[in-house]
Amino acid sequence: MTPLDALADEAGIARLWTDADRAKQQVSDESLRAILSALDLPAESDAEIAESRARLKARNAALPKLVTIDCGAPLTLPESLGDFDPLDEAGASVASPTRPGYYRLRHAAGETTLAIAPPRCRAIPKRGWGVAIQIPSLVGEGRAFGDFALLAQAVAALGRCGADAVALSPTHAQSLDDPGRFAPYSPSSRLALNGLLADARCEGATADLIDWQSAGPAKLAALRTQFAAQNEAADFAGYLQSRARAGLDAVQQAARDAGMAIGLIADLAVGVDPAGEEVRDDPGAFLRGLRIGAPPDPLGPQGQDWGLTSYSPDGLRDRGFAPFIAMLRANIPRGGGIRIDHAFGLQRLWVIPEGRPASEGAYLAYPFADLLRLIKLEAWRADAIVIAEDLGTRPPGFSETLAEAGIYGMAVLPFSRDRKGGFLPASAYPDTSVAMSGTHDTATIAGWWSGRDLEWNATLNRGGDTAAKRAQDRATLWRVIGKGAPRPADDDPAPVVDAALAFLAATPCPLAIVPIEDLLGLVEQPNLPGTVDEHPNWRRRLPAPIAALLARPEVARRIATLNSERTL
């Protein structure tokens, strides 16, 4: 092992990695040096490498500010800690920390926090179903786009129909300096909510697509007018957060009142805008000079640069993981659930030096065991379920580790296939995952069957499936879900939607989640990955208010099927 290899290994950077085709790949020396430099570990010469290795060794030998263990595991602490006096969260002395929770260990060198995690996250309480909703798509009188008030109405209506959960895309804060931009997976801060989703009447156009350039500023102006009419809050930003938090809490209460077993399932974005509020408030907690993304694979031959940053492993350790804990607490709805976007990032993230193509990145290791225990602990405190977005190339043992922790994976219909590309039967879906007909990033069932996604790919020169491949896949899917009925025509997706939802409801998965677009049989999808303005991402409105949509005969029929299959 060369000195450069040794430094990279000690810093948690993988020189070798396995791609989606299971082929071994190697990171170049140039990329390693660029990433190490961004991590404040210069490596341009043997002397720099030696100095960086010494600095890294000293950093790793420092007394940890937080130690995590699993409940029931032996408490083994660094010898440098010496004797200590444990205190519980109320400040009372305890003989021996054994129950889940946070403890302060006072010792000669200061204090160390001990986090004891429960063995597993909360289990999904019953065999149920839910709906995924893009909040802005909701339609209501006096609303330029959907907000928490309309979401509360939708949740109540779905609860009355028998749904147990409503899954959301991230509700993280967006920049108030640019209210005409809506990008839920590129937030300014994951510690705050999107204030534009607070309740305020704002008349706007009712076209099929939201014009964020006019609707965002108009909603912000309406909220400022609302703020000016009271003297209860000292500043507008604080007022917005108070209103938004009250609105979101009211949604979860509406879910409870409607009898939902879970209610809201929030979504946690994998990263933040490098120029956003969260990074500005504590830049040392984040990767600097690096962006996160994905390595080259069949869906992205050049790799992906998401234009985001995320926590620095050392930044988290230096802060006793306080930013990560605060982020979890800001986003887990009490009694509900949370979905972790790109959950592989808990173990490793593909990091890319600024100014370089995504293909010149490398995997950076994260303190997986610590992050997993903190998730278990915070979910336990909130009595919430946890779902991990585990789609793509999994690190070895990742799924098994999540299952042991009681964290559910995702079994998404378009991707649930055998090694030959055939669709899996319902019985093959794991009971450790949530069954889904699609996500915000995939074609709807109706859009996939009718080939609408192929039309978009052709228009935008994106590649993807050919018409011949889609014809073959339609036949394969129908053999699995059609129960022997004649295959519908390509331009008749409604029977396919019916069959697909019945199929998912019959899987062993404890929860089936259906995007509202699939429940309604819509053709267009909310987001097309890899596009910005070429496709109307996050702009589509639903065709009518939720009450009218749920009353449609075909929708009522699908809901009845979900209720029937899920109670078997």
Side-chain angles (χ1 to χ4, degrees):
M1 181 179 287
T2 67
L4 178 62
D5 286 342
L7 175 59
D9 183 65
E10 291 160 6
I13 305 169
R15 161 77 91 168
L16 301 175
W17 58 282
T18 303
D19 67 18
D21 295 324
R22 301 184 182 179
K24 297 292 185 182
Q25 302 291 340
Q26 180 169 308
V27 179
S28 70
D29 287 0
E30 186 180 10
S31 291
L32 283 184
R33 290 192 175 97
I35 295 169
L36 286 164
S37 177
L39 297 175
D40 196 25
L41 296 169
E44 292 298 327
S45 66
D46 287 347
E48 283 191 345
I49 290 173
E51 184 179 344
S52 292
R53 290 186 71 184
R55 187 184 310 119
L56 188 57
K57 184 177 180 180
R59 187 189 300 172
N60 292 337
L63 194 66
K65 295 187 177 180
L66 178 138
V67 174
T68 69
I69 64 170
D70 288 308
C71 190
L75 179 55
T76 55
L77 298 172
E79 292 183 4
S80 57
L81 205 64
D83 295 331
F84 58 86
D85 177 27
L87 306 175
D88 64 17
E89 292 183 69
S93 294
V94 293
S96 178
T98 56
R99 290 178 50 79
Y102 293 95
Y103 298 85
R104 293 158 49 203
L105 307 181
R106 296 190 304 192
H107 46 80
E111 277 192 1
T112 296
T113 299
L114 171 66
I116 301 181
R120 296 173 58 83
C121 293
R122 171 194 173 198
I124 292 174
K126 57 174 285 195
R127 207 174 135 76
W129 62 277
V131 175
I133 291 178
Q134 305 304 319
I135 298 174
S137 72
L138 295 170
V139 173
E141 184 180 355
R143 296 291 191 274
F145 51 85
D147 56 20
F148 290 141
L150 289 180
L151 179 63
Q153 296 176 21
V155 165
L158 286 164
R160 290 191 294 268
C161 290
D164 281 307
V166 170
L168 309 174
S169 289
T171 57
H172 307 317
Q174 306 281 307
S175 172
L176 293 180
D177 295 331
D178 188 9
R181 176 176 180 266
F182 184 82
Y185 289 92
S186 302
S188 177
S189 173
R190 293 169 296 183
L191 302 178
L193 293 171
N194 185 348
L196 294 186
L197 298 179
D199 181 17
R201 293 184 66 85
C202 175
E203 298 294 341
T206 57
D208 293 341
L209 298 178
I210 300 166
D211 179 5
W212 283 110
Q213 291 299 312
S214 61
K219 179 64 178 285
L220 189 62
L223 287 163
R224 287 191 183 279
T225 299
Q226 195 179 67
F227 168 70
Q230 55 77 46
N231 302 303
E232 296 175 6
D235 66 284
F236 180 58
Y239 171 78
L240 273 189
Q241 286 305 304
S242 175
R243 291 283 296 163
R245 179 59 62 185
L248 192 57
D249 289 346
V251 176
Q252 182 65 347
Q253 187 58 54
R256 283 280 174 260
D257 293 344
M260 287 190 174
I262 297 170
L264 287 186
I265 300 177
D267 204 352
L268 187 62
V270 67
V272 292
D273 182 344
E277 178 184 353
E278 195 174 340
V279 176
R280 290 199 303 269
D281 287 348
D282 189 4
F286 292 87
L287 297 171
R288 288 169 288 182
L290 296 170
R291 296 291 181 262
I292 61 173
D297 61 26
L299 294 179
Q302 305 304 315
Q304 300 176 50
D305 182 343
W306 299 330
L308 304 174
T309 187
S310 190
Y311 294 126
S312 154
D314 286 327
L316 286 178
R317 294 187 188 98
D318 291 345
R319 290 157 177 76
F321 293 83
F324 186 76
I325 294 168
M327 179 184 67
L328 292 175
R329 291 179 179 174
N331 287 281
I332 301 179
R334 181 158 298 278
I338 189 164
R339 189 198 81 122
I340 301 173
D341 185 42
H342 193 69
F344 302 141
L346 299 171
Q347 183 171 344
R348 66 182 190 185
L349 272 176
W350 185 259
V351 296
I352 307 154
E354 284 185 344
R356 295 174 181 263
S359 58
E360 295 184 16
Y363 278 118
L364 175 65
Y366 276 72
F368 187 30
D370 292 318
L371 298 178
L372 197 60
R373 290 180 184 127
L374 292 172
I375 289 170
K376 289 194 294 182
L377 178 52
E378 289 300 325
W380 174 78
R381 288 161 64 100
D383 191 29
I385 67 166
V386 181
I387 300 169
E389 194 246 322
D390 57 350
L391 305 175
T393 306
R394 295 176 175 84
F398 185 83
S399 297
E400 292 78 6
T401 301
L402 289 191
E404 289 173 5
I407 296 176
Y408 295 92
M410 290 169 51
V412 184
L413 179 60
F415 309 129
S416 296
R417 306 195 186 204
D418 58 29
R419 291 187 179 276
K420 296 181 179 180
F423 289 91
L424 294 175
S427 60
Y429 279 57
D431 61 6
T432 54
S433 290
V434 171
M436 302 179 69
S437 59
T439 74
H440 54 272
D441 285 336
T442 64
T444 65
I445 297 173
W448 184 90
W449 188 265
S450 62
R452 178 57 176 146
D453 60 320
L454 300 184
E455 295 173 3
W456 274 112
N457 289 343
T459 300
L460 302 178
N461 195 27
R462 288 168 49 88
D465 284 355
T466 63
K469 176 67 164 55
R470 181 58 52 84
Q472 181 181 15
D473 280 351
R474 286 190 192 100
T476 304
L477 176 65
W478 190 252
R479 280 197 296 270
V480 173
I481 70 174
K483 296 184 177 180
R487 192 174 85 190
D490 297 354
D491 60 356
D492 183 22
V496 184
V497 175
D498 293 346
L501 299 195
F503 169 85
L504 288 170
T507 65
C509 300
L511 181 65
I513 295 179
V514 179
I516 189 70
E517 292 82 8
D518 283 340
L519 191 65
L520 302 178
L522 302 182
V523 169
E524 301 286 4
Q525 64 197 74
N527 181 58
L528 190 61
T531 64
V532 179
D533 299 320
E534 308 95 313
H535 179 271
N537 297 333
W538 317 115
R539 295 180 58 199
R540 299 193 186 282
R541 286 188 175 93
L542 295 179
I546 196 73
L549 295 173
L550 296 180
R552 291 181 173 181
E554 70 276 16
V555 177
R557 182 179 66 249
R558 290 167 189 151
I559 288 173
T561 298
L562 289 167
N563 283 324
S564 175
E565 291 285 354
R566 291 270 94 188
T567 55
L568 294 177

